[in-house]
Amino acid sequence: MELANRVLALTPSSTLAITAKAKELKEQGVDVIGLGAGEPDFNTPSHILDAAYRSMNEGHTKYTPSAGLPALKKAIIKKFENDQGLSYKPNEIIVGNGAKHALYTLFQVLLNDGDEVIIPAPYWVSYPEQVKLAGGVPVYIEGLEQNQFKITPEQLLKAITKKTKAVIINSPSNPTGVLYTAEELLELGKICLEENILIVSDEIYEKLIYGGALHVSIAQLSPELKEQTIIINGVSKSHSMTGWRIGYAAGNNQVIEAMTNLASHSTSNPTTTAQYAAIAAYNGPQETVREMRLAFEERLAIIYDKLVAIPGFTCVKPQGAFYLYPNVRVAAEMTGFQNVDDFAEALLVEAKVAVIPGSGFGTPDNIRLSYATSLEQLETAVSRIHQFVAAKVEI
């Protein structure tokens, strides 16, 4: 069977592949610690579960509007007002089947063949593939480690061509956990306004911020930047609802209308029960969000020092999300591996720790470790990695 060229060009998700391999080994009885998954290890809060169950019993099991329930849009609008001081109308919001689906739909309605999308590296693995699926061309800017992996205005300006349609800003970032300041965002935003470049602001980790840092949306910095920005967000990370698949986009009503038309022919609507759960997530108590954030912050404080103590490891300390993204090139060379991908494979096979190679994120000298697992498991995993490296160096 001959497949379409658009899928033949896709690169499989490295995060899902490693997670699947670790799961397979576990099912075979191997004591593998998986640090690959990008999801909180907490269950969805009980008041959200109760709301979903109640909605089903009340008969809310039918189709909804393609762009989402009016009540959920209202809750999202209220969230923007409370958190960023941003005002949106219902026709400027579309609810999708997860933030990933919202991004996919956005690129489908935005890009023509050959249009370029600037993607800072390291990047989330699905950005380039979604751009390519829409006929677009990913253009990468390397965020240097000495600049906390963040791109500069000079780099952005240099990357813009007549074909540039959009730039993606992910803050806090997956995989690095770094956070752009308001001043940094404003400088990047000025260039986007001058060059008429759409800003795609992925803010899915906005509730997971540490060390007293503050999340700033580029859309809240000026009315002009708000009009130039499509915000992508959802409840997956903030409320531990990854499997519920509720995300959304907010921005220019023309773009949102086009996304809604496409969604009406592709998914009909987000899952009804999950939408009622998301309403409860935003309208209900937020204490569980705070508790989860504090747990992640505690893990980061303990694990970071242990990680950078491993020979050959250096790591920019994250301010958000739940990932560590150490540079392990020196460790790989010290332990006799030609590249970091081979080093990561050995960690899985020999040390029984699953990590994600940085090659999937556009920076082959790094690996990504998720600390969205218990502190006990994290300490054991880092200890195994340390012992693995130390033993190889001694040999």
Side-chain angles (χ1 to χ4, degrees), residues 105-133:
T105 306
L106 172 62
F107 291 132
Q108 288 293 321
V109 306
L110 184 67
L111 302 179
N112 289 312
D113 288 350
D115 284 344
E116 296 176 352
V117 177
I118 295 173
I119 303 176
Y123 47 75
W124 178 49
V125 295
S126 291
Y127 291 146
E129 308 310 317
Q130 291 194 354
V131 169
K132 289 188 286 186
L133 279 170

Side-chain angles (χ1 to χ4, degrees), residues 255-275:
V255 176
I256 298 301
E257 182 181 2
M259 293 174 68
T260 302
N261 289 339
L262 177 57
S264 71
H265 290 293
S266 56
T267 58
S268 291
N269 61 268
T271 302
T272 304
T273 303
Q275 289 189 68

Side-chain angles (χ1 to χ4, degrees), residues 152-169:
T152 66
E154 293 77 18
Q155 287 179 301
L156 176 59
L157 190 58
K158 186 177 180 181
I160 293 173
T161 73
K162 291 181 179 179
K163 294 184 178 181
T164 305
K165 197 71 172 284
V167 60
I168 299 174
I169 295 176

Side-chain angles (χ1 to χ4, degrees), residues 21-37:
K21 188 167 185 177
K23 183 179 180 181
E24 181 183 346
L25 288 171
K26 284 182 180 180
E27 290 173 350
Q28 294 172 4
V30 180
D31 180 23
V32 172
I33 298 176
L35 302 183

Side-chain angles (χ1 to χ4, degrees), residues 38-357:
E39 61 181 349
D41 55 313
F42 299 88
N43 194 19
T44 303
S46 58
H47 71 279
I48 299 173
L49 301 177
D50 292 341
Y53 182 73
R54 187 165 57 250
S55 75
M56 290 185 285
N57 283 329
E58 291 174 354
H60 299 303
T61 58
K62 310 300 182 183
Y63 291 127
T64 75
S66 290
L69 286 165
L72 179 51
K73 287 191 177 187
K74 183 178 180 181
I76 292 168
I77 289 168
K78 181 181 177 183
K79 174 251 177 267
F80 275 121
E81 291 174 347
N82 291 341
D83 291 351
Q84 282 90 23
L86 289 168
S87 178
Y88 288 100
K89 298 175 183 177
N91 67 351
E92 296 174 318
I93 304 284
I94 178 173
V95 182
N97 294 281
K100 181 183 284 190
H101 175 241
L103 274 167
Y104 175 86
T105 306
L106 172 62
F107 291 132
Q108 288 293 321
V109 306
L110 184 67
L111 302 179
N112 289 312
D113 288 350
D115 284 344
E116 296 176 352
V117 177
I118 295 173
I119 303 176
Y123 47 75
W124 178 49
V125 295
S126 291
Y127 291 146
E129 308 310 317
Q130 291 194 354
V131 169
K132 289 188 286 186
L133 279 170
V137 178
V139 175
Y140 305 108
I141 301 177
E142 183 183 2
L144 298 178
E145 194 164 348
Q146 55 264 38
N147 193 42
Q148 294 189 311
F149 296 111
K150 293 184 277 189
I151 64 170
T152 66
E154 293 77 18
Q155 287 179 301
L156 176 59
L157 190 58
K158 186 177 180 181
I160 293 173
T161 73
K162 291 181 179 179
K163 294 184 178 181
T164 305
K165 197 71 172 284
V167 60
I168 299 174
I169 295 176
N170 179 207
S171 178
S173 160
N174 173 10
T176 66
V178 300
L179 190 69
Y180 281 88
T181 66
E183 293 75 18
E184 291 166 338
L185 290 172
L186 190 58
E187 290 303 308
L188 296 174
K190 286 178 182 177
I191 294 172
C192 293
L193 290 173
E194 291 168 1
E195 302 291 334
N196 193 27
I197 305 301
L198 183 72
I199 302 162
V200 180
S201 183
D202 185 347
E203 304 179 11
I204 192 70
Y205 293 97
E206 61 152 339
K207 293 295 184 181
L208 302 176
I209 309 288
Y210 317 117
L214 296 175
H215 173 264
V216 177
S217 171
I218 194 169
Q220 71 188 88
L221 298 179
S222 74
E224 293 78 16
L225 282 171
K226 175 177 179 284
E227 182 62 24
Q228 199 76 9
T229 301
I230 302 293
I231 294 178
I232 302 293
N233 208 330
V235 294
S236 291
K237 316 298 183 179
S238 59
H239 293 79
S240 196
M241 294 176 66
T242 51
W244 295 82
R245 309 313 303 136
I246 293 293
Y248 51 87
N252 179 279
N253 71 299
Q254 267 189 308
V255 176
I256 298 301
E257 182 181 2
M259 293 174 68
T260 302
N261 289 339
L262 177 57
S264 71
H265 290 293
S266 56
T267 58
S268 291
N269 61 268
T271 302
T272 304
T273 303
Q275 289 189 68
Y276 280 97
I279 293 169
Y282 277 148
N283 289 345
Q286 302 299 306
E287 185 60 28
T288 52
V289 177
R290 177 178 176 274
E291 290 172 356
M292 186 168 64
R293 182 189 65 78
L294 289 174
F296 287 141
E297 187 165 23
E298 179 189 15
R299 295 173 191 177
L300 172 61
I302 294 171
I303 292 300
Y304 178 80
D305 290 340
K306 295 179 182 293
L307 187 76
V308 295
I310 299 173
F313 275 54
T314 61
C315 187
V316 173
K317 191 168 186 177
Q319 294 176 290
F322 39 65
Y323 307 110
L324 289 159
Y325 199 62
N327 186 314
V328 299
R329 166 60 64 182
V330 173
E333 292 175 349
M334 289 168 53
T335 50
F337 295 96
Q338 292 186 347
N339 57 61
V340 170
D341 280 35
D342 291 343
F343 177 76
E345 177 73 16
L347 287 180
L348 177 58
V349 174
E350 298 182 42
K352 306 298 186 291
V353 178
V355 300
I356 310 296

